[in-house]
Amino acid sequence: MTVFLFALGAGAVMAGCGGNEAALGEQARGLKCVDDSNVCISQRKIVYDSYMADKSRAWVKHPAGPHEYASGVRLMAFNKKRAELSCDELAHAKAEADRGPASLKSGANSGLTPAQIARAGMLAREVSRDLGREFARRCR
């Protein structure tokens, strides 16, 4: 699934990594960078790795928009960390994953391609299912 994360934007031609994003930090660029360029793949990996290393998991409750869903970084991090998340964090992560498909559709005018929207929606539904199972197993 990690390969899916970094290939999520494969085939898309989008300028999600340039322009006014230059002033943002690495994480903001990585979360909004959804094309298949080496730069975007590298930026997404940096963000993902920082999430995996963050013991406080402060990123869990940060808001996500269409590009954050399309990048797949947060969803993949939620899925990878699901066994470590508290019940509150699991509930928050599942709610975010559940909002993914609707957020992506509302972001259709934000430059995302139909293929990016479809792939990210599929990932959001899969992650929501996995988080729901973990929540049901541990947080009754």
Side-chain angles (χ1 to χ4, degrees):
M1 207 189 257
T2 302
V3 172
F4 179 71
L5 165 68
F6 301 115
L8 191 59
V13 178
M14 191 180 132
C17 293
N20 60 5
E21 303 267 5
L24 298 175
E26 280 296 315
Q27 287 203 347
R29 283 194 306 268
L31 290 172
K32 294 191 181 291
C33 200
V34 297
D35 68 41
D36 64 340
S37 68
N38 288 336
V39 170
C40 283
I41 292 168
S42 175
Q43 288 176 349
R44 289 192 302 265
K45 184 172 179 356
I46 289 167
V47 175
Y48 180 81
D49 290 346
S50 74
Y51 284 175
M52 294 300 101
D54 182 6
K55 302 284 187 217
S56 73
R57 295 188 300 270
W59 58 271
V60 169
K61 295 201 176 176
H62 291 176
H67 283 90
E68 287 81 5
Y69 287 108
S71 77
V73 174
R74 290 177 58 78
L75 292 168
M76 292 298 300
F78 284 142
N79 212 27
K80 179 74 173 179
K81 289 285 192 181
R82 71 179 179 262
E84 299 171 33
L85 298 176
S86 69
C87 291
D88 181 55
E89 290 170 330
L90 274 171
H92 184 83
K94 181 169 180 351
E96 181 175 315
D98 289 343
R99 286 188 303 271
S103 178
L104 286 157
K105 287 179 185 172
S106 73
N109 293 327
S110 64
L112 297 173
T113 67
Q116 289 170 324
I117 292 169
R119 282 191 298 267
M122 183 175 62
L123 178 61
R125 287 185 291 276
E126 179 181 335
V127 170
S128 174
R129 184 185 63 239
D130 292 346
L131 294 170
R133 286 181 185 148
E134 185 72 19
F135 187 88
R137 185 178 72 77
R138 290 194 291 127
C139 304
R140 297 174 190 215

